[in-house]
Amino acid sequence: MSLLSVENLAVAYGGIQAVKGISLTVEEGELVTLIGANGAGKTTTLNTLGGLLPVNGGKIRYAAQDLAALPAHDRVRHGLALVPEGRGIFGRLTVAENLLMGAFHRNDKPAIRSDLDKAYELFPRLREREQQLAGTLSGGEQQMLAIGRALMSRPRLLLLDEPSMGLAPLMVEKIFSIIREINAQGVAILLVEQNARLALAAAQRAYVMESGCITLQGVAAELAADERVRAAYLGH
């Protein structure tokens, strides 16, 4: 059974049908990407999986559990963590305080301390700025912090929404290197990313979303070579 199984998911808000019956899966330890143009419904999909938006139709199963009635904070307890578009860091808290917020549901203090050290190993720049207010960090540092905070919950599945948005090219490369490293450590990832070239290079499988529907799916490398994908998303 897949770690995440989405069947005929429909989501509507404000009178708009944003997601129109999509189906997708993520296996244990897999990196899957969801690409598409702005307004395709990608962020709506992730926010629904994370528990921030209600389901209007279809089913979401995670680790063999129906997520329909599970609030967002309980999804985190079960190992499903969302890094939202725009990062969502707490600007008036320090870097360390933000990271510890990711472990809000945990009581294992020695393990939390160990995971904090691991976050600093993964993101040395955050250790340098441990007592700095998060709102004063650069965009790339805030993205590192948002990912680090999610990792403090010890996720089995990490939902990443537009991690490269607004970042300089060198920082984008750094963030994607870290994403691959996290996945190599066994964390499954569902990645929404505007930079289709990077996303397809990092992922094992991919889905293409257009106007609330999944229009293509398959092995990421094969989709990267598909003329339809190349023309629409890779600038060919």
Side-chain angles (χ1 to χ4, degrees), residues 212-225:
C213 301
I214 299 291
T215 56
L216 290 169
Q217 59 181 289
V219 175
E222 294 176 358
L223 284 182

Side-chain angles (χ1 to χ4, degrees), residues 77 100-113 115 152-154:
R77 294 180 195 276
L100 290 173
M101 286 294 289
F104 75 93
H105 64 289
R106 297 171 55 187
N107 296 312
D108 50 342
K109 290 186 178 180
I112 290 172
R113 181 67 247 183
D115 286 348
M152 288 295 295
S153 70
R154 289 192 169 181

